[in-house]
Each structure stands twice: as structure tokens, then as C-alpha cells.
Amino acid sequence: RAGDRMLEVPALTLSGTAAYQADGWTAALTGYRAFDWINYDRLALARDFQSRTRSAEELVGAGLRGYWHRYDGVPRLNTTVTLDLPRGTVLVLTGDNLLDRQQGEPDNITIVPGRTLMFGLRAAF
């Protein structure tokens, strides 16, 4: 309808990065968060579809408007640390979702990857 907000688009997003560089190594920490968006209440949709408490017509088109739900999101933190090694190689440690938040975005049924730590070597030839 005219004036409605677009689904799955946050009203506000914030992010920031702090970085430090010293002789032979770097570190960066990034935090971000999305605020206030509308998406479907996917748990209610799945429940009603499964239990057949609603007709098929109520679960498509204009009937979906009744399943709109407001979400606020959760903060996320990521980090990257690099260490210069001999002969053009770099040791890289990356951590994603350091707070281990797996629910709350982009809806109430999606589970995103938990805390993920990656270790690697980067080489230049």
C-alpha cells in the first residue's frame, strides 16, 4: 500500500571499524547493526501452513500482510589480525560473529552461522 515501508530494509544501519597497525602486524575490529525493519513472521507462517488453520488464500497475496513483524536486529563484531612473516607471507586470523548471535536476523526462523574463526596464510610471488 502507498506509504508502507519496503520489507527487509532496515530504517537505520550503523557500523564502525577501529584499526591498529604496528611494525609487522595489523589488527581491526568492526562492529555493525541494523535497526528496525519489517519482515514476515516466518514462524507463524510455518505454523499456520503446517496446521492448516488458515486457508491457502490467507497465506498468499494480501493475506501475508497479517504476518508482518517488526525486527530490531542484534550487534555483530568481526575482527582480523595479520602478522607479516618472512618471504612475503602473511599469517591471517579472522573472527566473524564474535558475539555468537545466531538468531534475530533477518527473520525469526533463519539461523545464521555462529562464531567462526579462520586461520590462513597469504603468500605473494
Side-chain angles (χ1 to χ4, degrees), residues 8-9 11 15-16 27 35 49 60 68:
E8 301 183 26
V9 177
S15 68
F35 295 86
F49 178 79
V60 297
W68 284 14

Side-chain angles (χ1 to χ4, degrees), residues 36-110:
D36 184 24
W37 70 92
I38 306 293
N39 200 355
Y40 294 109
D41 182 343
R42 297 199 189 271
L43 283 175
L45 265 169
R47 180 191 64 236
D48 290 350
F49 178 79
Q50 169 68 24
S51 67
R52 302 185 192 274
T53 58
R54 306 256 176 149
S55 68
E57 292 78 26
E58 292 177 289
L59 298 176
V60 297
L64 287 174
R65 186 180 194 83
Y67 291 95
W68 284 14
H69 183 78
R70 183 175 301 274
Y71 295 91
D72 195 34
V74 294
R76 307 275 184 191
L77 286 177
N78 296 339
T79 191
T80 301
V81 177
T82 65
L83 176 64
D84 293 340
L85 300 174
R87 301 179 198 223
T89 57
V90 179
L91 177 68
V92 181
L93 175 63
T94 303
D96 292 329
N97 192 10
L98 295 177
L99 300 176
D100 201 25
R101 303 281 180 90
Q102 292 186 267
Q103 296 177 315
E105 292 177 4
D107 52 47
N108 58 356
I109 204 168
T110 301

Side-chain angles (χ1 to χ4, degrees), residues 20-26 83-84:
Y20 182 78
Q21 183 174 1
D23 190 32
W25 67 279
T26 62
L83 176 64
D84 293 340

